Amino acid sequence: TGAVIGLTAVQNQGRYGGVDCVGDLIVQFREKDSKFSNPGLVNAGVYALKKKAIGEFLKLLSSLEIDVFSAMAVQGSIRGVELKGFFIDIGLPETLEYSREHLLDHLH
């Protein structure tokens, strides 16, 4: 395994992009899409990577999440671990603001 990604369960995979697994092996990443608004696992943004395992990918591709992780999934060299606890995507202005105001409330 060249990488392990933290995954989290959400009610709407379509908002974040889904992750498909067979056991703990990640087999596919799906882009954000309202057609996949069902509950499931998403990338939580926590990564453990072996530099050697991703070195060749980094020479050729530009996006870690889109290009590198997808290629590693095709090769069967990326695993996922489901994380429990509070998750928030700060990629939208309203969720960033919420995290600024309430993040400490969730850290106990």
Side-chain angles (χ1 to χ4, degrees):
T1 300
V4 177
I5 294 180
L7 306 174
T8 193
V10 297
Q11 290 301 311
N12 180 354
Q13 283 184 323
R15 177 172 177 228
Y16 305 99
V19 178
D20 296 329
C21 298
V22 174
D24 69 345
L25 184 66
I26 295 174
V27 294
Q28 180 180 6
F29 292 90
R30 284 182 278 108
E31 289 298 312
K32 297 175 186 179
D33 188 333
S34 61
K35 291 186 288 187
F36 298 106
S37 61
N38 56 312
L41 295 173
V42 299
N43 178 344
V46 179
Y47 313 134
L49 307 164
K50 290 183 179 177
K51 185 177 180 180
K52 181 179 179 182
I54 64 169
E56 291 303 312
F57 292 117
L58 293 177
K59 293 176 187 174
L60 304 172
L61 305 168
S62 60
S63 169
L64 182 64
E65 288 85 0
I66 296 171
D67 299 323
V68 175
F69 289 166
S70 292
M72 291 178 81
V74 169
Q75 290 187 343
S77 63
I78 191 166
R79 301 205 176 273
V81 174
E82 186 174 352
L83 305 175
K84 302 294 183 185
F86 178 69
F87 169 76
I88 189 167
D89 175 6
I90 60 170
L92 300 172
E94 60 270 18
T95 54
L96 176 59
E97 187 59 32
Y98 177 88
S99 71
R100 288 180 176 148
E101 295 175 8
H102 300 284
L103 184 60
L104 292 178
D105 300 339
H106 297 280
L107 301 176
H108 46 288

